[in-house]
Coordinates of all heavy atoms in Angstrom, one line a residue:
V1 N 88.6 91.1 84.5 CA 89.0 92.0 85.6 C 88.4 93.4 85.3 O 88.4 93.9 84.2 CB 90.6 92.2 85.6 CG1 91.0 93.3 86.5 CG2 91.3 90.9 85.9
K2 N 87.8 94.0 86.3 CA 87.2 95.3 86.3 C 87.9 96.1 87.3 O 88.2 95.7 88.4 CB 85.7 95.3 86.5 CG 84.9 94.6 85.5 CD 83.4 94.7 85.7 CE 82.7 94.0 84.6 NZ 81.2 94.1 84.8
I3 N 88.1 97.4 87.0 CA 88.8 98.3 87.9 C 87.8 99.5 88.2 O 87.3 100.1 87.3 CB 90.1 98.8 87.3 CG1 91.0 97.6 87.0 CG2 90.8 99.8 88.3 CD1 92.2 98.0 86.2
Y4 N 87.7 99.8 89.5 CA 86.9 100.9 89.9 C 87.8 101.8 90.7 O 88.5 101.3 91.5 CB 85.7 100.5 90.7 CG 84.7 99.6 89.9 CD1 84.9 98.3 90.0 CD2 83.7 100.2 89.2 CE1 84.0 97.4 89.3 CE2 82.9 99.4 88.4 CZ 83.0 98.0 88.5 OH 82.2 97.2 87.8
A5 N 87.8 103.1 90.5 CA 88.6 104.0 91.2 C 87.7 105.1 91.8 O 86.8 105.7 91.2 CB 89.7 104.6 90.3
Q6 N 88.0 105.4 93.1 CA 87.3 106.5 93.7 C 88.4 107.5 94.3 O 89.5 107.1 94.5 CB 86.4 106.0 94.8 CG 87.1 105.6 96.1 CD 86.2 105.0 97.1 OE1 85.4 104.2 96.8 NE2 86.3 105.6 98.3
T7 N 87.9 108.7 94.6 CA 88.9 109.7 95.0 C 88.7 110.0 96.5 O 89.4 110.7 97.1 CB 88.7 111.0 94.2 OG1 87.4 111.5 94.3 CG2 89.1 110.7 92.8
G8 N 87.7 109.4 97.1 CA 87.5 109.7 98.6 C 86.1 109.4 99.0 O 85.3 108.8 98.2
W9 N 85.7 109.8 100.2 CA 84.4 109.5 100.8 C 83.8 110.9 101.2 O 84.5 111.7 101.7 CB 84.5 108.6 102.0 CG 84.9 107.2 101.6 CD1 86.2 106.7 101.6 CD2 84.1 106.2 101.1 NE1 86.2 105.4 101.1 CE2 84.9 105.1 100.8 CE3 82.7 106.1 100.8 CZ2 84.4 103.9 100.3 CZ3 82.2 104.9 100.3 CH2 83.1 103.8 100.1
Q10 N 82.5 111.0 101.0 CA 81.8 112.2 101.4 C 80.7 111.8 102.4 O 80.0 110.9 102.1 CB 81.2 112.9 100.2 CG 80.4 114.2 100.5 CD 79.8 114.7 99.3 OE1 79.3 114.0 98.4 NE2 79.8 116.0 99.2
R11 N 80.7 112.5 103.6 CA 79.7 112.2 104.6 C 78.4 112.8 104.1 O 78.3 114.0 103.8 CB 80.1 112.8 105.9 CG 79.1 112.5 107.0 CD 79.5 112.9 108.4 NE 80.7 112.1 108.8 CZ 80.7 110.9 109.3 NH1 79.6 110.3 109.4 NH2 81.9 110.4 109.6
V12 N 77.4 112.0 103.9 CA 76.1 112.5 103.5 C 75.2 112.8 104.7 O 74.5 113.9 104.7 CB 75.3 111.4 102.7 CG1 74.0 111.8 102.2 CG2 76.2 111.0 101.4
S13 N 75.2 112.0 105.7 CA 74.5 112.3 107.0 C 75.2 111.5 108.1 O 76.2 110.8 107.8 CB 73.0 111.9 106.9 OG 72.9 110.5 106.7
S14 N 74.7 111.5 109.2 CA 75.4 110.8 110.4 C 75.5 109.4 110.1 O 74.6 108.6 109.9 CB 74.5 111.0 111.6 OG 75.1 110.4 112.7
G15 N 76.8 108.9 110.0 CA 77.1 107.5 109.8 C 76.9 107.0 108.3 O 77.1 105.9 108.0
V16 N 76.6 107.9 107.4 CA 76.4 107.5 106.0 C 77.3 108.3 105.1 O 77.4 109.5 105.2 CB 74.9 107.8 105.6 CG1 74.7 107.5 104.1 CG2 73.9 107.1 106.4
S17 N 78.1 107.6 104.4 CA 79.1 108.2 103.4 C 78.8 107.6 102.0 O 78.2 106.5 101.9 CB 80.5 107.9 103.9 OG 80.8 108.4 105.1
R18 N 79.3 108.3 101.0 CA 79.3 107.8 99.7 C 80.6 108.1 99.0 O 81.4 108.9 99.4 CB 78.1 108.4 98.9 CG 78.3 109.9 98.6 CD 77.3 110.5 97.8 NE 77.5 111.9 97.6 CZ 76.6 112.8 97.2 NH1 75.4 112.4 97.0 NH2 76.9 114.0 97.1
A19 N 80.9 107.2 98.0 CA 82.1 107.4 97.2 C 82.1 108.7 96.4 O 81.0 109.1 95.9 CB 82.3 106.2 96.3
V20 N 83.2 109.3 96.3 CA 83.3 110.5 95.5 C 84.3 110.3 94.4 O 85.3 109.7 94.6 CB 83.9 111.7 96.4 CG1 84.1 112.9 95.6 CG2 83.0 112.0 97.6
F21 N 83.9 110.7 93.2 CA 84.7 110.5 92.0 C 85.1 111.9 91.5 O 84.3 112.8 91.4 CB 84.0 109.7 90.9 CG 83.5 108.4 91.4 CD1 82.3 108.2 92.0 CD2 84.4 107.3 91.3 CE1 82.0 106.9 92.5 CE2 84.1 106.0 91.8 CZ 82.8 105.9 92.4
G22 N 86.4 112.1 91.1 CA 86.9 113.3 90.7 C 87.9 113.8 91.7 O 87.7 113.6 92.9
G23 N 88.9 114.5 91.3 CA 90.0 114.9 92.3 C 91.1 113.9 92.3 O 91.2 113.0 91.5
P24 N 91.9 114.0 93.4 CA 93.0 113.1 93.5 C 92.5 111.6 93.8 O 91.6 111.4 94.6 CB 93.9 113.6 94.6 CG 93.0 114.6 95.3 CD 91.9 115.0 94.4
L25 N 93.1 110.7 93.1 CA 92.8 109.3 93.3 C 93.3 108.7 94.6 O 94.4 108.9 95.0 CB 93.4 108.5 92.1 CG 93.1 107.0 92.0 CD1 91.6 106.8 91.7 CD2 93.9 106.4 90.9
T26 N 92.4 108.1 95.4 CA 92.8 107.5 96.7 C 92.7 106.0 96.8 O 93.4 105.4 97.5 CB 92.0 108.2 97.8 OG1 90.6 107.9 97.6 CG2 92.1 109.7 97.9
T27 N 91.7 105.4 96.1 CA 91.5 104.0 96.2 C 91.2 103.4 94.8 O 90.5 104.0 94.0 CB 90.2 103.7 97.1 OG1 90.4 104.3 98.4 CG2 90.0 102.2 97.3
I28 N 91.8 102.2 94.6 CA 91.5 101.5 93.4 C 90.9 100.1 93.8 O 91.5 99.4 94.7 CB 92.8 101.2 92.5 CG1 93.3 102.6 92.0 CG2 92.5 100.3 91.4 CD1 94.6 102.5 91.2
A29 N 89.8 99.7 93.3 CA 89.2 98.4 93.6 C 89.3 97.6 92.3 O 88.9 98.0 91.2 CB 87.7 98.6 94.0
I30 N 89.8 96.4 92.5 CA 90.0 95.5 91.4 C 89.1 94.3 91.6 O 89.1 93.6 92.6 CB 91.5 95.0 91.3 CG1 92.4 96.2 91.0 CG2 91.6 93.9 90.2 CD1 93.8 95.9 90.9
V31 N 88.2 94.1 90.7 CA 87.2 92.9 90.7 C 87.9 91.8 89.9 O 88.0 91.9 88.7 CB 85.9 93.3 90.1 CG1 84.9 92.1 90.1 CG2 85.3 94.5 90.8
G32 N 88.3 90.8 90.7 CA 89.0 89.6 90.1 C 90.4 89.6 90.6 O 91.2 90.4 90.2
T33 N 90.7 88.8 91.6 CA 92.0 88.8 92.2 C 92.8 87.6 91.8 O 93.7 87.1 92.6 CB 91.8 88.8 93.8 OG1 91.1 87.7 94.2 CG2 91.1 90.1 94.2
G34 N 92.5 87.0 90.6 CA 93.3 85.9 90.1 C 94.7 86.4 89.6 O 95.2 87.5 90.1
L35 N 95.3 85.7 88.7 CA 96.6 86.1 88.2 C 96.7 87.5 87.6 O 97.6 88.2 87.9 CB 97.0 85.0 87.2 CG 98.4 85.2 86.5 CD1 99.5 85.1 87.6 CD2 98.6 84.2 85.5
I36 N 95.7 87.8 86.8 CA 95.7 89.1 86.1 C 95.4 90.2 87.1 O 96.2 91.2 87.1 CB 94.7 89.1 84.9 CG1 95.2 88.2 83.8 CG2 94.6 90.6 84.4 CD1 94.2 88.0 82.7
G37 N 94.4 90.1 87.9 CA 94.1 91.1 88.9 C 95.2 91.4 89.9 O 95.5 92.5 90.2
T38 N 95.8 90.3 90.4 CA 96.9 90.4 91.4 C 98.1 91.0 90.7 O 98.8 91.8 91.3 CB 97.2 89.1 92.0 OG1 96.0 88.6 92.7 CG2 98.3 89.2 93.0
S39 N 98.4 90.6 89.5 CA 99.5 91.2 88.7 C 99.4 92.7 88.5 O 100.3 93.5 88.7 CB 99.7 90.5 87.4 OG 100.1 89.1 87.6
L40 N 98.1 93.1 88.2 CA 97.8 94.5 88.0 C 98.0 95.2 89.3 O 98.6 96.3 89.4 CB 96.4 94.7 87.5 CG 96.0 96.1 87.3 CD1 96.8 96.8 86.3 CD2 94.5 96.1 86.8
A41 N 97.5 94.7 90.4 CA 97.6 95.3 91.7 C 99.1 95.4 92.1 O 99.5 96.5 92.7 CB 96.9 94.5 92.8
L42 N 99.9 94.4 91.9 CA 101.3 94.5 92.2 C 102.0 95.6 91.4 O 102.9 96.3 91.9 CB 102.0 93.1 92.0 CG 101.7 92.1 93.0 CD1 102.2 90.7 92.6 CD2 102.3 92.4 94.4
A43 N 101.6 95.7 90.1 CA 102.2 96.7 89.2 C 101.9 98.1 89.7 O 102.7 99.0 89.8 CB 101.8 96.5 87.8
I44 N 100.6 98.3 90.2 CA 100.2 99.6 90.7 C 100.9 99.9 92.0 O 101.4 101.0 92.2 CB 98.6 99.6 90.9 CG1 97.9 99.5 89.5 CG2 98.2 100.8 91.7 CD1 96.4 99.3 89.6
K45 N 101.0 98.9 92.8 CA 101.7 99.0 94.1 C 103.2 99.4 93.9 O 103.7 100.2 94.7 CB 101.6 97.7 94.9 CG 102.1 97.9 96.3 CD 101.9 96.6 97.1 CE 102.4 96.8 98.5 NZ 102.2 95.7 99.4
S46 N 103.8 98.9 92.9 CA 105.2 99.2 92.7 C 105.4 100.5 92.0 O 106.6 101.0 91.8 CB 105.9 98.1 91.9 OG 105.4 98.0 90.6
S47 N 104.3 101.2 91.5 CA 104.4 102.5 90.9 C 104.5 103.6 92.0 O 104.6 103.3 93.1 CB 103.2 102.7 90.0 OG 102.1 103.0 90.8
N48 N 104.6 104.8 91.5 CA 104.6 105.9 92.4 C 103.2 106.4 92.9 O 103.2 107.4 93.6 CB 105.4 107.1 91.8 CG 106.9 106.8 91.7 OD1 107.4 106.0 92.5 ND2 107.5 107.3 90.7
L49 N 102.2 105.7 92.5 CA 100.8 106.1 92.9 C 100.6 105.9 94.4 O 101.0 104.9 94.9 CB 99.8 105.3 92.1 CG 99.7 105.6 90.6 CD1 98.6 104.6 90.0 CD2 99.3 107.0 90.4
Q50 N 100.1 106.9 95.1 CA 99.8 106.8 96.5 C 98.3 106.5 96.6 O 97.5 107.3 96.9 CB 100.2 108.2 97.2 CG 101.6 108.5 97.1 CD 102.5 107.5 97.8 OE1 102.2 107.1 98.9 NE2 103.6 107.1 97.1
V51 N 98.0 105.2 96.4 CA 96.6 104.8 96.5 C 96.5 103.5 97.3 O 97.5 102.8 97.5 CB 96.0 104.5 95.0 CG1 96.0 105.7 94.2 CG2 96.8 103.4 94.3
E52 N 95.3 103.2 97.8 CA 95.0 102.0 98.5 C 94.4 101.1 97.4 O 93.6 101.5 96.6 CB 94.0 102.2 99.6 CG 94.6 103.0 100.7 CD 93.6 103.2 101.9 OE1 92.4 103.1 101.6 OE2 94.0 103.4 103.0
I53 N 94.8 99.8 97.4 CA 94.3 98.8 96.4 C 93.5 97.8 97.2 O 94.0 97.1 98.1 CB 95.4 98.2 95.6 CG1 96.3 99.3 95.0 CG2 94.8 97.3 94.6 CD1 97.6 98.7 94.5
V54 N 92.2 97.7 96.8 CA 91.3 96.7 97.4 C 90.9 95.7 96.3 O 90.8 96.1 95.2 CB 90.1 97.3 98.2 CG1 90.6 98.1 99.4 CG2 89.3 98.2 97.2
G55 N 90.6 94.5 96.7 CA 90.2 93.5 95.7 C 89.0 92.7 96.1 O 88.7 92.6 97.3
T56 N 88.2 92.2 95.2 CA 87.1 91.3 95.4 C 87.1 90.2 94.4 O 87.5 90.4 93.3 CB 85.8 92.1 95.4 OG1 84.7 91.2 95.7 CG2 85.5 92.7 94.0
D57 N 86.7 89.0 94.9 CA 86.6 87.8 94.0 C 85.7 86.8 94.7 O 85.8 86.7 95.9 CB 88.0 87.2 93.8 CG 88.0 86.4 92.6 OD1 87.2 85.5 92.4 OD2 88.9 86.6 91.7
Y58 N 84.8 86.1 94.0 CA 84.0 85.1 94.6 C 84.8 83.9 94.9 O 84.4 83.1 95.8 CB 82.8 84.8 93.6 CG 83.3 84.1 92.4 CD1 83.3 82.7 92.3 CD2 83.6 84.8 91.2 CE1 83.8 82.0 91.2 CE2 84.0 84.1 90.1 CZ 84.1 82.8 90.1 OH 84.5 82.1 88.9
D59 N 85.9 83.6 94.3 CA 86.7 82.5 94.5 C 87.7 82.6 95.7 O 88.6 83.5 95.7 CB 87.6 82.2 93.2 CG 88.4 80.9 93.3 OD1 88.5 80.3 94.4 OD2 89.0 80.6 92.3
S60 N 87.4 81.9 96.8 CA 88.2 82.0 98.0 C 89.7 81.7 97.8 O 90.5 82.3 98.5 CB 87.6 81.2 99.1 OG 87.7 79.8 98.8
T61 N 90.0 80.8 96.9 CA 91.4 80.5 96.6 C 92.1 81.7 96.0 O 93.2 82.0 96.4 CB 91.5 79.2 95.7 OG1 90.8 78.1 96.3 CG2 92.9 78.8 95.5
A62 N 91.5 82.3 95.1 CA 92.0 83.5 94.4 C 92.2 84.6 95.5 O 93.3 85.3 95.5 CB 91.2 84.0 93.3
R63 N 91.2 84.8 96.3 CA 91.3 85.9 97.4 C 92.5 85.6 98.3 O 93.2 86.5 98.7 CB 90.0 86.0 98.2 CG 88.9 86.7 97.5 CD 87.8 87.0 98.4 NE 87.4 86.0 99.4 CZ 86.6 85.0 99.2 NH1 85.9 84.9 98.0 NH2 86.3 84.2 100.1
S64 N 92.6 84.3 98.7 CA 93.7 83.9 99.6 C 95.0 84.2 99.0 O 95.9 84.7 99.7 CB 93.5 82.4 100.0 OG 94.6 82.0 100.8
G65 N 95.2 83.8 97.8 CA 96.5 84.0 97.1 C 96.8 85.5 97.0 O 98.0 85.9 97.1
A66 N 95.8 86.2 96.6 CA 96.0 87.7 96.4 C 96.4 88.3 97.7 O 97.2 89.2 97.8 CB 94.7 88.3 95.9
Q67 N 95.7 87.9 98.8 CA 96.0 88.5 100.1 C 97.5 88.2 100.5 O 98.2 89.0 101.1 CB 95.0 88.0 101.2 CG 95.0 88.9 102.5 CD 94.5 90.3 102.3 OE1 93.5 90.5 101.7 NE2 95.3 91.2 102.7
K68 N 97.9 87.0 100.3 CA 99.2 86.5 100.7 C 100.3 87.3 99.8 O 101.4 87.4 100.3 CB 99.4 85.0 100.5 CG 98.6 84.2 101.5 CD 98.8 82.7 101.2 CE 97.9 81.9 102.2 NZ 97.9 80.5 101.9
S69 N 99.9 87.7 98.6 CA 100.9 88.4 97.8 C 101.3 89.7 98.3 O 102.3 90.3 97.9 CB 100.3 88.5 96.3 OG 99.4 89.5 96.3
G70 N 100.4 90.3 99.1 CA 100.6 91.6 99.7 C 100.2 92.7 98.7 O 100.5 93.9 98.9
A71 N 99.6 92.4 97.6 CA 99.2 93.4 96.6 C 98.0 94.2 97.1 O 97.9 95.4 96.6 CB 98.8 92.7 95.3
F72 N 97.2 93.7 97.9 CA 95.9 94.4 98.3 C 96.0 94.7 99.8 O 96.5 93.9 100.6 CB 94.7 93.4 98.0 CG 94.5 93.1 96.6 CD1 95.1 92.0 96.1 CD2 93.8 93.9 95.8 CE1 95.0 91.6 94.7 CE2 93.6 93.6 94.4 CZ 94.2 92.4 93.9
I73 N 95.4 95.8 100.2 CA 95.2 96.1 101.6 C 94.0 95.3 102.2 O 94.0 95.1 103.4 CB 95.1 97.6 101.9 CG1 93.8 98.2 101.3 CG2 96.3 98.3 101.5 CD1 93.4 99.5 101.9
F74 N 93.1 94.9 101.3 CA 91.9 94.2 101.7 C 91.3 93.4 100.6 O 91.3 93.9 99.4 CB 90.9 95.3 102.2 CG 89.6 94.7 102.6 CD1 89.5 94.1 103.9 CD2 88.5 94.8 101.8 CE1 88.2 93.6 104.3 CE2 87.2 94.3 102.3 CZ 87.1 93.7 103.5
C75 N 90.9 92.2 100.8 CA 90.2 91.4 99.8 C 88.9 90.9 100.4 O 88.9 90.5 101.6 CB 91.1 90.2 99.4 SG 92.5 90.5 98.4
S76 N 87.9 90.9 99.6 CA 86.5 90.5 100.1 C 85.8 89.6 99.0 O 86.2 89.6 97.9 CB 85.7 91.8 100.3 OG 84.4 91.5 100.6
S77 N 84.8 88.9 99.5 CA 84.0 88.1 98.6 C 82.9 88.9 97.9 O 82.2 88.5 97.0 CB 83.4 86.9 99.3 OG 82.6 87.3 100.3
S78 N 82.7 90.1 98.4 CA 81.7 91.0 97.8 C 82.4 92.4 97.5 O 83.5 92.7 98.0 CB 80.6 91.2 98.8 OG 81.0 92.0 99.9
A79 N 81.7 93.2 96.8 CA 82.2 94.5 96.4 C 81.8 95.6 97.4 O 81.9 96.7 97.1 CB 81.7 94.9 95.0
N80 N 81.4 95.2 98.6 CA 81.0 96.1 99.6 C 82.2 96.4 100.5 O 82.5 95.7 101.5 CB 79.9 95.6 100.5 CG 78.6 95.4 99.7 OD1 78.3 96.2 98.8 ND2 77.9 94.4 100.0
F81 N 83.0 97.4 100.1 CA 84.2 97.7 100.9 C 83.8 98.7 101.9 O 84.5 99.3 102.6 CB 85.3 98.3 99.9 CG 85.6 97.4 98.8 CD1 85.3 97.7 97.5 CD2 86.2 96.1 99.1 CE1 85.6 96.8 96.5 CE2 86.5 95.3 98.1 CZ 86.2 95.6 96.8

């Protein structure tokens, strides 16, 4: 399981944005949505953190179970959120 956190998006030019790191945390991306990744996402969700949690996994079964758990706002087969 890998965790990536970003604090927001910055518009670079028309239609182009990039992730911004530093400042208040807004999004957490968890790579690996199996048992450990989903458990981590559920723990974060039940905390007082006001963040969006997104997940990615190559395994469609893991993604499906993670999405059904309600732990993630979005699950993808790639890390392109």
Side-chain angles (χ1 to χ4, degrees):
V1 173
K2 292 185 179 181
I3 302 169
Y4 298 92
Q6 74 181 54
T7 59
W9 295 94
Q10 177 183 42
R11 183 173 297 279
V12 178
S13 63
S14 179
V16 178
S17 298
R18 69 176 177 199
V20 176
F21 300 91
L25 186 65
T26 61
T27 305
I28 295 176
I30 298 177
V31 179
T33 59
L35 181 61
I36 295 172
T38 298
S39 296
L40 179 60
L42 287 168
I44 293 168
K45 186 175 180 176
S46 69
S47 73
N48 290 330
L49 292 176
Q50 298 298 314
V51 295
E52 294 181 333
I53 306 168
V54 295
T56 182
D57 202 308
Y58 68 91
D59 183 350
S60 63
T61 304
R63 285 193 317 272
S64 176
Q67 195 68 50
K68 288 177 185 175
S69 75
F72 299 90
I73 62 161
F74 179 76
C75 286
S76 173
S77 61
S78 69
N80 298 323
F81 304 113

